[in-house]
Amino acid sequence: DGIYLIAMKTGFEAYPNNFWVNNGFDNELIFQPGNGKINKLNKWQKLSDLGAAEHVSTEAIVVDYEKAWNVMKEETNKDDNSFSCVVPSWDSSARRAKIGAYILRNSNPNSYQRWLEYEIEKVIHRNSDERLVVINAWNEWAEGTMLEPSSHLGHSVLKRTAEVLAKHSSVKSNIDEFP
């Protein structure tokens, strides 16, 4: 039935829910981790105070991953038709040196899997064309997040993703591959 337009809601705007839908878009995507609610979990800190080189003047919101995803997951609910975004990890200090970064500490594949599972459970009841959860990102090295296999985590993040998707798949080969 044509093009489906999705507006990305970030922490850089203060528009109410459905603002973009009411202004011509079909839906909204709640971008994570930058949509704003995790700002309330901690104050801005200088990275040099956290062990970075003294000349590093970057400030960041540093939050434990488990605590952060439990807040970010509440930015949408089952009655809200907007789309969610999940991140396996996050550290934007390399890219946002002058304007402030977000760092999710202690991220791990198991916590990421729980968050992805939670978000899929929220959309599974929707019409099939609105069952969308966005994973940010495949290989966003500058933001410290990736599904792509790495020397640090191997294939574990990608494997956890496949396990969650297989659990909800209607394709038998996907279910058989990751029981």
Side-chain angles (χ1 to χ4, degrees), residues 36-47:
K37 295 223 175 178
I38 63 169
N39 288 358
K40 296 177 180 136
L41 295 177
N42 207 343
K43 62 186 184 305
W44 288 98
Q45 300 172 280
K46 287 190 173 196
L47 292 185

mmCIF file with all atom_site columns, all heavy atoms in Angstrom, residues 36-47:
data_model
loop_
_atom_site.group_PDB
_atom_site.id
_atom_site.type_symbol
_atom_site.label_atom_id
_atom_site.label_alt_id
_atom_site.label_comp_id
_atom_site.label_asym_id
_atom_site.label_entity_id
_atom_site.label_seq_id
_atom_site.pdbx_PDB_ins_code
_atom_site.Cartn_x
_atom_site.Cartn_y
_atom_site.Cartn_z
_atom_site.occupancy
_atom_site.B_iso_or_equiv
_atom_site.pdbx_formal_charge
_atom_site.auth_seq_id
_atom_site.auth_comp_id
_atom_site.auth_asym_id
_atom_site.auth_atom_id
_atom_site.pdbx_PDB_model_num
ATOM 1   N N   . GLY A 1 36 ? 16.761 9.683  26.011 1.00 0.00 ? 36 GLY A N   1
ATOM 2   C CA  . GLY A 1 36 ? 16.672 10.637 27.098 1.00 0.00 ? 36 GLY A CA  1
ATOM 3   C C   . GLY A 1 36 ? 16.415 10.112 28.494 1.00 0.00 ? 36 GLY A C   1
ATOM 4   O O   . GLY A 1 36 ? 16.837 10.718 29.459 1.00 0.00 ? 36 GLY A O   1
ATOM 5   N N   . LYS A 1 37 ? 15.720 9.005  28.641 1.00 0.00 ? 37 LYS A N   1
ATOM 6   C CA  . LYS A 1 37 ? 15.362 8.561  29.993 1.00 0.00 ? 37 LYS A CA  1
ATOM 7   C C   . LYS A 1 37 ? 16.569 8.119  30.813 1.00 0.00 ? 37 LYS A C   1
ATOM 8   O O   . LYS A 1 37 ? 16.560 8.250  32.027 1.00 0.00 ? 37 LYS A O   1
ATOM 9   C CB  . LYS A 1 37 ? 14.339 7.436  29.925 1.00 0.00 ? 37 LYS A CB  1
ATOM 10  C CG  . LYS A 1 37 ? 13.033 7.910  29.340 1.00 0.00 ? 37 LYS A CG  1
ATOM 11  C CD  . LYS A 1 37 ? 11.875 7.384  30.092 1.00 0.00 ? 37 LYS A CD  1
ATOM 12  C CE  . LYS A 1 37 ? 10.637 8.014  29.498 1.00 0.00 ? 37 LYS A CE  1
ATOM 13  N NZ  . LYS A 1 37 ? 9.445  7.596  30.068 1.00 0.00 ? 37 LYS A NZ  1
ATOM 14  N N   . ILE A 1 38 ? 17.618 7.621  30.163 1.00 0.00 ? 38 ILE A N   1
ATOM 15  C CA  . ILE A 1 38 ? 18.770 7.186  30.958 1.00 0.00 ? 38 ILE A CA  1
ATOM 16  C C   . ILE A 1 38 ? 19.546 8.368  31.527 1.00 0.00 ? 38 ILE A C   1
ATOM 17  O O   . ILE A 1 38 ? 20.334 8.192  32.451 1.00 0.00 ? 38 ILE A O   1
ATOM 18  C CB  . ILE A 1 38 ? 19.711 6.231  30.194 1.00 0.00 ? 38 ILE A CB  1
ATOM 19  C CG1 . ILE A 1 38 ? 20.332 6.890  28.980 1.00 0.00 ? 38 ILE A CG1 1
ATOM 20  C CG2 . ILE A 1 38 ? 19.009 4.944  29.844 1.00 0.00 ? 38 ILE A CG2 1
ATOM 21  C CD1 . ILE A 1 38 ? 21.456 6.073  28.372 1.00 0.00 ? 38 ILE A CD1 1
ATOM 22  N N   . ASN A 1 39 ? 19.299 9.574  31.017 1.00 0.00 ? 39 ASN A N   1
ATOM 23  C CA  . ASN A 1 39 ? 19.940 10.755 31.590 1.00 0.00 ? 39 ASN A CA  1
ATOM 24  C C   . ASN A 1 39 ? 19.628 10.883 33.078 1.00 0.00 ? 39 ASN A C   1
ATOM 25  O O   . ASN A 1 39 ? 20.421 11.422 33.842 1.00 0.00 ? 39 ASN A O   1
ATOM 26  C CB  . ASN A 1 39 ? 19.473 12.025 30.890 1.00 0.00 ? 39 ASN A CB  1
ATOM 27  C CG  . ASN A 1 39 ? 20.029 12.154 29.505 1.00 0.00 ? 39 ASN A CG  1
ATOM 28  O OD1 . ASN A 1 39 ? 20.802 11.328 29.049 1.00 0.00 ? 39 ASN A OD1 1
ATOM 29  N ND2 . ASN A 1 39 ? 19.620 13.193 28.814 1.00 0.00 ? 39 ASN A ND2 1
ATOM 30  N N   . LYS A 1 40 ? 18.477 10.401 33.477 1.00 0.00 ? 40 LYS A N   1
ATOM 31  C CA  . LYS A 1 40 ? 18.048 10.540 34.869 1.00 0.00 ? 40 LYS A CA  1
ATOM 32  C C   . LYS A 1 40 ? 18.713 9.519  35.790 1.00 0.00 ? 40 LYS A C   1
ATOM 33  O O   . LYS A 1 40 ? 18.583 9.601  37.003 1.00 0.00 ? 40 LYS A O   1
ATOM 34  C CB  . LYS A 1 40 ? 16.534 10.415 34.941 1.00 0.00 ? 40 LYS A CB  1
ATOM 35  C CG  . LYS A 1 40 ? 15.846 11.542 34.204 1.00 0.00 ? 40 LYS A CG  1
ATOM 36  C CD  . LYS A 1 40 ? 14.348 11.406 34.208 1.00 0.00 ? 40 LYS A CD  1
ATOM 37  C CE  . LYS A 1 40 ? 13.780 12.583 33.449 1.00 0.00 ? 40 LYS A CE  1
ATOM 38  N NZ  . LYS A 1 40 ? 12.747 12.260 32.555 1.00 0.00 ? 40 LYS A NZ  1
ATOM 39  N N   . LEU A 1 41 ? 19.424 8.547  35.216 1.00 0.00 ? 41 LEU A N   1
ATOM 40  C CA  . LEU A 1 41 ? 20.038 7.499  36.028 1.00 0.00 ? 41 LEU A CA  1
ATOM 41  C C   . LEU A 1 41 ? 21.403 7.893  36.578 1.00 0.00 ? 41 LEU A C   1
ATOM 42  O O   . LEU A 1 41 ? 21.911 7.242  37.487 1.00 0.00 ? 41 LEU A O   1
ATOM 43  C CB  . LEU A 1 41 ? 20.177 6.205  35.220 1.00 0.00 ? 41 LEU A CB  1
ATOM 44  C CG  . LEU A 1 41 ? 18.872 5.560  34.800 1.00 0.00 ? 41 LEU A CG  1
ATOM 45  C CD1 . LEU A 1 41 ? 19.151 4.331  33.946 1.00 0.00 ? 41 LEU A CD1 1
ATOM 46  C CD2 . LEU A 1 41 ? 18.038 5.181  36.009 1.00 0.00 ? 41 LEU A CD2 1
ATOM 47  N N   . ASN A 1 42 ? 22.004 8.915  36.009 1.00 0.00 ? 42 ASN A N   1
ATOM 48  C CA  . ASN A 1 42 ? 23.312 9.334  36.470 1.00 0.00 ? 42 ASN A CA  1
ATOM 49  C C   . ASN A 1 42 ? 23.561 10.765 36.023 1.00 0.00 ? 42 ASN A C   1
ATOM 50  O O   . ASN A 1 42 ? 22.861 11.281 35.168 1.00 0.00 ? 42 ASN A O   1
ATOM 51  C CB  . ASN A 1 42 ? 24.399 8.396  35.920 1.00 0.00 ? 42 ASN A CB  1
ATOM 52  C CG  . ASN A 1 42 ? 25.612 8.338  36.817 1.00 0.00 ? 42 ASN A CG  1
ATOM 53  O OD1 . ASN A 1 42 ? 25.813 9.198  37.676 1.00 0.00 ? 42 ASN A OD1 1
ATOM 54  N ND2 . ASN A 1 42 ? 26.427 7.318  36.637 1.00 0.00 ? 42 ASN A ND2 1
ATOM 55  N N   . LYS A 1 43 ? 24.562 11.376 36.582 1.00 0.00 ? 43 LYS A N   1
ATOM 56  C CA  . LYS A 1 43 ? 24.909 12.738 36.193 1.00 0.00 ? 43 LYS A CA  1
ATOM 57  C C   . LYS A 1 43 ? 26.056 12.685 35.182 1.00 0.00 ? 43 LYS A C   1
ATOM 58  O O   . LYS A 1 43 ? 26.725 11.665 35.031 1.00 0.00 ? 43 LYS A O   1
ATOM 59  C CB  . LYS A 1 43 ? 25.304 13.558 37.416 1.00 0.00 ? 43 LYS A CB  1
ATOM 60  C CG  . LYS A 1 43 ? 26.532 13.044 38.137 1.00 0.00 ? 43 LYS A CG  1
ATOM 61  C CD  . LYS A 1 43 ? 26.760 13.833 39.410 1.00 0.00 ? 43 LYS A CD  1
ATOM 62  C CE  . LYS A 1 43 ? 28.017 13.454 40.137 1.00 0.00 ? 43 LYS A CE  1
ATOM 63  N NZ  . LYS A 1 43 ? 28.216 12.094 40.501 1.00 0.00 ? 43 LYS A NZ  1
ATOM 64  N N   . TRP A 1 44 ? 26.290 13.800 34.503 1.00 0.00 ? 44 TRP A N   1
ATOM 65  C CA  . TRP A 1 44 ? 27.410 13.887 33.573 1.00 0.00 ? 44 TRP A CA  1
ATOM 66  C C   . TRP A 1 44 ? 28.701 13.782 34.370 1.00 0.00 ? 44 TRP A C   1
ATOM 67  O O   . TRP A 1 44 ? 28.847 14.408 35.412 1.00 0.00 ? 44 TRP A O   1
ATOM 68  C CB  . TRP A 1 44 ? 27.366 15.207 32.804 1.00 0.00 ? 44 TRP A CB  1
ATOM 69  C CG  . TRP A 1 44 ? 26.251 15.235 31.798 1.00 0.00 ? 44 TRP A CG  1
ATOM 70  C CD1 . TRP A 1 44 ? 25.023 15.804 31.963 1.00 0.00 ? 44 TRP A CD1 1
ATOM 71  C CD2 . TRP A 1 44 ? 26.256 14.651 30.507 1.00 0.00 ? 44 TRP A CD2 1
ATOM 72  N NE1 . TRP A 1 44 ? 24.258 15.601 30.844 1.00 0.00 ? 44 TRP A NE1 1
ATOM 73  C CE2 . TRP A 1 44 ? 24.990 14.904 29.925 1.00 0.00 ? 44 TRP A CE2 1
ATOM 74  C CE3 . TRP A 1 44 ? 27.191 13.933 29.766 1.00 0.00 ? 44 TRP A CE3 1
ATOM 75  C CZ2 . TRP A 1 44 ? 24.651 14.471 28.655 1.00 0.00 ? 44 TRP A CZ2 1
ATOM 76  C CZ3 . TRP A 1 44 ? 26.847 13.509 28.503 1.00 0.00 ? 44 TRP A CZ3 1
ATOM 77  C CH2 . TRP A 1 44 ? 25.596 13.779 27.953 1.00 0.00 ? 44 TRP A CH2 1
ATOM 78  N N   . GLN A 1 45 ? 29.630 12.963 33.873 1.00 0.00 ? 45 GLN A N   1
ATOM 79  C CA  . GLN A 1 45 ? 30.909 12.758 34.541 1.00 0.00 ? 45 GLN A CA  1
ATOM 80  C C   . GLN A 1 45 ? 32.037 12.961 33.532 1.00 0.00 ? 45 GLN A C   1
ATOM 81  O O   . GLN A 1 45 ? 31.904 12.592 32.363 1.00 0.00 ? 45 GLN A O   1
ATOM 82  C CB  . GLN A 1 45 ? 31.008 11.327 35.078 1.00 0.00 ? 45 GLN A CB  1
ATOM 83  C CG  . GLN A 1 45 ? 29.938 10.981 36.083 1.00 0.00 ? 45 GLN A CG  1
ATOM 84  C CD  . GLN A 1 45 ? 29.981 9.498  36.421 1.00 0.00 ? 45 GLN A CD  1
ATOM 85  O OE1 . GLN A 1 45 ? 29.484 8.682  35.671 1.00 0.00 ? 45 GLN A OE1 1
ATOM 86  N NE2 . GLN A 1 45 ? 30.593 9.176  37.541 1.00 0.00 ? 45 GLN A NE2 1
ATOM 87  N N   . LYS A 1 46 ? 33.150 13.509 33.997 1.00 0.00 ? 46 LYS A N   1
ATOM 88  C CA  . LYS A 1 46 ? 34.327 13.625 33.132 1.00 0.00 ? 46 LYS A CA  1
ATOM 89  C C   . LYS A 1 46 ? 34.959 12.246 33.008 1.00 0.00 ? 46 LYS A C   1
ATOM 90  O O   . LYS A 1 46 ? 35.157 11.552 34.010 1.00 0.00 ? 46 LYS A O   1
ATOM 91  C CB  . LYS A 1 46 ? 35.332 14.615 33.706 1.00 0.00 ? 46 LYS A CB  1
ATOM 92  C CG  . LYS A 1 46 ? 34.886 16.040 33.586 1.00 0.00 ? 46 LYS A CG  1
ATOM 93  C CD  . LYS A 1 46 ? 36.000 16.980 33.942 1.00 0.00 ? 46 LYS A CD  1
ATOM 94  C CE  . LYS A 1 46 ? 35.525 18.385 33.629 1.00 0.00 ? 46 LYS A CE  1
ATOM 95  N NZ  . LYS A 1 46 ? 36.579 19.328 33.569 1.00 0.00 ? 46 LYS A NZ  1
ATOM 96  N N   . LEU A 1 47 ? 35.272 11.869 31.780 1.00 0.00 ? 47 LEU A N   1
ATOM 97  C CA  . LEU A 1 47 ? 35.904 10.568 31.579 1.00 0.00 ? 47 LEU A CA  1
ATOM 98  C C   . LEU A 1 47 ? 37.269 10.499 32.239 1.00 0.00 ? 47 LEU A C   1
ATOM 99  O O   . LEU A 1 47 ? 37.700 9.434  32.666 1.00 0.00 ? 47 LEU A O   1
ATOM 100 C CB  . LEU A 1 47 ? 36.001 10.241 30.088 1.00 0.00 ? 47 LEU A CB  1
ATOM 101 C CG  . LEU A 1 47 ? 34.676 9.982  29.386 1.00 0.00 ? 47 LEU A CG  1
ATOM 102 C CD1 . LEU A 1 47 ? 34.905 9.554  27.947 1.00 0.00 ? 47 LEU A CD1 1
ATOM 103 C CD2 . LEU A 1 47 ? 33.856 8.928  30.106 1.00 0.00 ? 47 LEU A CD2 1
#
